[in-house]
Amino acid sequence: MNIVLMGPPGAGKGTQADFMKAEFSLPHISTGDIFREAVSQGTELGKKAQEYMNAGKLVPDELTIAIVEERLARKDCLQGFLLDGFPRTTVQAEALKRVLQKTGRKVEAAINISVPQDILIARLSGRISCKECKTVYNTSYSPPTRPGICDKCGGELIQRSDDRGETVKNRLLVYQEQTSPLLDYYDKHKVLYNIDGNRDSREVFYEIKEILQGL
Ligand code: AMP
């Protein structure tokens, strides 16, 4: 199963990716997670990516594509993968197509989770996650039992630096301008599935599961 998970920031891609990983044992490739890890480790990649991320902009295509190409070439991806947050531009989508074609593969489903803009802003500005186990909470919708402390592992809960004020607005704008045209792209390739993400995350997953089981 070669799956692309799409949707604006705050649509719930990470939550659904966790469900999908558990159900279908797919390797989960999140470009956002890869960049955040590189930033926290202070690598060359992290230094390059940080300024774009802090501004709510996309990291340049060349850099992003190289990382994904290397990751998709690894053995664990040959039987399937779940790409989360990639592609985000038409150039990335075309590059992905070329990379997969080299090994006779293609994207089989582009799952697009949509959520109204005002809900996205509320979700993003209230989003906090555990520094240790990465479990995500929301201060309004799904708060932890003890403020600032992870229910699962007791780790510290922090807000992503790009979930604040202006950066959130920029990320949503960048999504509209650069990523939303990909919906047409995957529709033309007859692999687009639109999902209403403004529901309980389990309900959203139930629908995604049915789509994947039907592939
Ligand atoms: P995410 O966790 O997917 O919301 O990604 C966080 C940030 O990482 C984005 O706002 C971008 O700055 C960067 N990023 C993640 N994926 C990509 C991508 N496919 N292309 C360019 N930049 C990306």
Side-chain angles (χ1 to χ4, degrees):
M1 249 186 254
N2 303 331
I3 314 296
V4 163
L5 196 52
M6 301 187 62
K13 297 189 296 294
T15 304
Q16 295 304 322
D18 284 344
F19 289 146
M20 288 159 85
K21 255 189 326 192
E23 183 79 28
F24 299 100
S25 311
L26 291 167
H28 173 212
I29 306 166
S30 156
T31 40
D33 283 351
I34 293 171
F35 289 136
R36 274 185 292 280
E37 180 73 19
V39 169
S40 76
Q41 292 185 351
T43 63
E44 275 311 305
L45 172 67
K47 284 178 199 151
K48 285 183 195 154
Q50 191 163 29
E51 57 173 308
Y52 298 98
M53 295 172 83
N54 286 346
K57 291 183 183 163
L58 294 184
V59 175
D61 283 335
E62 220 179 62
L63 202 60
T64 311
I65 290 165
I67 288 163
V68 173
E69 178 162 14
E70 185 276 323
R71 184 65 190 86
L72 286 175
R74 291 197 217 158
K75 255 196 191 146
D76 64 334
C77 290
L78 295 179
Q79 300 306 319
F81 55 79
L82 172 59
L83 271 172
D84 163 6
F86 183 96
R88 263 172 147 109
T89 64
T90 311
V91 171
Q92 292 180 11
E94 281 293 329
L96 176 62
K97 190 175 170 182
R98 276 197 308 275
V99 165
L100 294 177
Q101 265 171 355
K102 284 187 205 166
T103 45
R105 294 179 287 173
K106 62 180 172 117
V107 169
E108 289 161 298
I111 309 275
N112 173 48
I113 308 174
S114 53
V115 171
Q117 178 106 347
D118 53 333
I119 307 279
L120 292 174
I121 292 173
R123 283 188 184 181
L124 291 168
S125 50
R127 178 160 74 175
I128 45 175
S129 59
C130 177
K131 223 173 157 181
E132 308 303 326
C133 73
K134 315 286 180 218
T135 299
V136 177
Y137 299 85
N138 186 288
T139 48
S140 308
Y141 308 125
S142 52
T145 313
R146 290 168 296 168
I149 298 169
C150 179
D151 289 350
K152 285 199 184 147
C153 76
E156 184 193 349
L157 298 179
I158 51 166
Q159 186 183 41
R160 265 170 58 169
S161 59
D162 60 352
D163 277 347
R164 295 176 198 148
E166 278 305 299
T167 310
V168 164
K169 286 192 197 135
N170 281 345
R171 288 167 65 207
L172 292 171
L173 202 67
V174 164
Y175 175 81
Q176 276 313 324
E177 287 176 356
Q178 300 190 56
T179 308
S180 65
L182 285 185
L183 302 181
D184 253 3
Y185 177 92
Y186 282 119
D187 196 25
K188 286 194 181 113
H189 284 72
K190 307 218 179 311
V191 292
L192 181 70
Y193 297 88
N194 284 307
I195 308 275
D196 172 9
N198 192 15
R199 293 177 288 169
D200 178 79
S201 58
R202 284 274 161 198
E203 275 180 52
V204 176
F205 179 59
Y206 187 77
E207 205 178 322
I208 293 179
K209 193 170 146 183
E210 290 213 311
I211 292 168
L212 299 190
Q213 283 170 338
L215 285 180

